[in-house]
Amino acid sequence: MSELAARLRQLRPQFLAQVAQAAGAITTSKDDATRFYDALIAASETEGTPASLFEVFKQWGDLTTLHLLRQWVWETVRLELPPAEALQMVMALEDHFAACVLCLTERESERQAQATEAQLRQMRARLERLDQSKSKFVSVAAHELRTPLTLIEGYARLMMNEVEAEQFHRLEMFLQGLEGGVKRLEEIVEAIVDISLIDNDMLALSYQPLWLGTLIQQLQVELAEVLAERRLTLNTVNVVDMGFTYADSERARQMLLNLLENAIKFTPDEGAITVSVQALPGFFEIAVADTGIGIAAENLEHIFDKFTAVGNVALHTSSKTKFKGGGPGLGLSIARGIAHAHGGTIWVESPGYDEQALPGSVFHVMLPELREPPNVASRLERAEETRALPRHLSPV
Ligand code: ADP
């Protein structure tokens, strides 16, 4: 047994008497103080870190308690030993106390880090719940809006069929207005439902063989009337004989239609739109270029965020095809959701925004070339590959 430990053992009753004296003024119980003192003796018997003391402080204790206990030890030593020996003993014990301070400080910062982490977890969970309830609200609201809209549309059709020819001429304008309004509202509700699906990672894709060239030609036919009205030319490059890939044709159509409708909206009359397709290793790249007003550098990324409409929304018309016609700001967000769901990417290039010089914009979509419908695992791999694409091709 070391000399120090032997001395401590001798002073044990005096130390406990000190504790008993302080009883009532302190929160540390006699048992705890005894456990501490015995651990101090044990620590003095061995070299190195005072593991026995750490054990005691693991159960209870903080820096204030340690400070109190140290004072009692000093007081006992001062009262019971000659000054020179007392000083020597205090110095010898000081190493143990310093190690305990360090241990308690580390434990305290660990405890604080854990508390902060728990708080962060709680906040994250709250945010997730908020986000989920927002998206749920959107899908419920969308459902509730869809039902009455279908009714209004149905009754407007019935009225159109029922009214006699003579009356019809008078009512025609109103009924057509009603039908047009309902159709637009339906499209907005559908867009909100799509965004809610995308936000919740619930966009289910139905993979079928998709011939991109055929799809683009179909869209060209569909948009012919609007293009003629606006005296816009739609050119296609390299779309014939382009191979096929497995994709959700409906969603791919919706994505390209959004890009083409935007190109129409943001290109003044007599401009040109060009759609081109390029087969790259493992991907198809579709580019939709226009000779329109272009996009300012600071908006190149934001326009893919939902509910983003650049410029003064109040000045927009609500037409889907008129020059600078407005919209809810969901088209590009949906296009991005569809591209990502396929394991692809979408981005835009534009020299800038200028309504006089008309620098134009080019939207690029990369779709993976798939020879068979993917299973979930390979879709996840695709998503990983996409993330590894060069910076200018990385997903927005
Ligand atoms: P919206 O429903 O308003 O068209 P989008 O998400 O499709 O919403 O587009 C968001 C914004 O991006 C538009 O309001 C417009 O400012 C800008 N934008 C989209 N396509 C083009 C384009 N081809 N040329 C210029 N600006 C565009």
Side-chain angles (χ1 to χ4, degrees):
M1 190 192 297
S2 82
E3 217 177 298
L4 180 62
R7 254 296 187 239
L8 279 172
R9 212 175 281 282
Q10 276 172 8
L11 295 175
R12 193 171 184 271
Q14 286 84 342
F15 171 78
L16 294 177
Q18 283 276 342
V19 176
Q21 254 182 30
I26 53 155
T27 48
T28 315
S29 74
K30 193 164 176 242
D31 284 351
D32 286 341
T34 313
R35 253 198 304 279
F36 157 77
Y37 198 83
D38 290 341
L40 190 62
I41 297 173
S44 306
E45 275 171 346
T46 51
E47 294 279 310
T49 44
S52 52
L53 280 170
F54 289 177
E55 265 316 298
V56 172
F57 284 113
K58 218 188 263 174
Q59 322 287 329
W60 57 273
D62 48 41
L63 284 171
T64 321
T65 317
L66 176 68
H67 186 63
L68 261 180
L69 292 166
R70 189 173 63 161
Q71 264 185 347
W72 290 331
V73 174
W74 283 353
E75 199 57 13
T76 312
V77 169
R78 191 179 63 81
L79 291 174
E80 302 299 324
L81 298 178
E85 198 189 337
L87 188 66
Q88 214 178 5
M89 190 156 174
V90 164
M91 278 166 66
L93 289 176
E94 213 33 40
D95 276 354
H96 290 336
F97 287 123
C100 288
V101 169
L102 209 68
C103 162
L104 282 176
T105 317
E106 269 174 22
R107 233 186 61 201
E108 189 52 34
S109 30
E110 249 171 52
R111 227 195 327 238
Q112 274 179 9
Q114 276 169 3
T116 317
E117 214 173 282
Q119 265 179 350
L120 270 176
R121 261 200 309 273
Q122 270 179 1
M123 271 165 67
R124 216 173 293 137
R126 254 188 75 197
L127 276 177
E128 267 168 28
R129 274 201 303 275
L130 265 175
D131 216 42
Q132 272 176 9
S133 72
K134 192 182 69 194
S135 288
K136 267 188 200 141
F137 166 79
V138 169
S139 41
V140 171
H143 175 77
E144 297 307 321
L145 283 170
R146 253 184 197 155
T147 319
L149 272 177
T150 319
L151 279 175
I152 299 172
E153 196 188 18
Y155 281 116
R157 286 247 166 79
L158 274 177
M159 271 162 80
M160 274 188 174
N161 294 341
E162 289 295 314
V163 286
E164 289 167 14
E166 237 173 80
Q167 288 171 312
F168 182 74
H169 289 305
R170 270 186 284 137
L171 282 177
E172 190 182 17
M173 207 175 69
F174 305 135
L175 287 172
Q176 274 175 356
L178 184 65
E179 205 188 17
V182 168
K183 198 158 169 273
R184 189 80 189 101
L185 202 51
E186 264 173 358
E187 281 164 1
I188 292 171
V189 170
E190 287 307 323
I192 292 175
V193 173
D194 285 347
I195 274 297
S196 145
L197 290 175
I198 288 167
D199 280 354
N200 288 300
D201 277 333
M202 283 167 60
L203 196 71
L205 298 181
S206 152
Y207 279 86
Q208 303 133 21
L210 168 72
W211 278 266
L212 281 168
T214 315
L215 173 63
I216 291 164
Q217 282 169 335
Q218 276 168 3
L219 287 169
Q220 200 173 12
V221 173
E222 253 176 71
L223 293 168
E225 203 177 308
V226 176
L227 289 164
E229 225 172 78
R230 295 279 320 282
R231 297 192 301 284
L232 293 167
T233 341
L234 176 56
N235 306 308
T236 54
V237 178
N238 220 7
V239 301
V240 189
D241 295 335
M242 199 37 78
F244 79 94
T245 179
Y246 269 83
D248 185 316
S249 339
E250 257 319 297
R251 291 298 184 186
R253 178 188 171 282
Q254 183 184 8
M255 173 176 68
L256 289 183
L257 186 62
N258 283 351
L259 297 185
L260 284 168
E261 280 178 348
N262 277 346
I264 293 174
K265 267 197 311 197
F266 297 103
T267 305
D269 293 5
E270 285 162 21
I273 298 164
T274 309
V275 186
S276 53
V277 185
Q278 224 186 325
L280 300 168
F283 282 91
F284 281 111
E285 182 183 346
I286 308 151
V288 178
D290 63 51
T291 57
I293 59 177
I295 300 161
E298 66 268 23
N299 292 325
L300 289 176
E301 281 191 21
H302 299 310
I303 55 169
F304 291 92
D305 295 338
K306 57 191 172 217
F307 303 116
T308 306
V310 179
N312 188 347
V313 181
L315 299 179
H316 287 172
T317 69
S318 62
S319 163
K320 277 178 72 187
T321 48
K322 273 197 188 136
F323 181 45
K324 293 204 282 173
L330 292 175
L332 288 179
S333 193
I334 293 173
R336 177 176 63 175
I338 295 173
H340 285 185
H342 279 89
T345 63
I346 184 168
W347 74 99
V348 63
E349 286 170 338
S350 174
Y353 171 82
D354 191 331
E355 292 202 18
Q356 306 307 318
L358 302 173
S361 318
V362 189
F363 282 83
H364 301 262
V365 176
M366 294 270 270
L367 276 186
E369 185 187 3
L370 301 178
R371 290 281 148 233
E372 56 186 45
N375 55 35
V376 177
S378 68
R379 263 160 69 189
L380 287 178
E381 268 166 35
R382 281 269 170 203
E384 283 304 315
E385 273 171 33
T386 309
R387 271 192 275 282
L389 284 172
R391 218 178 103 66
H392 76 287
L393 303 182
S394 63
V396 286

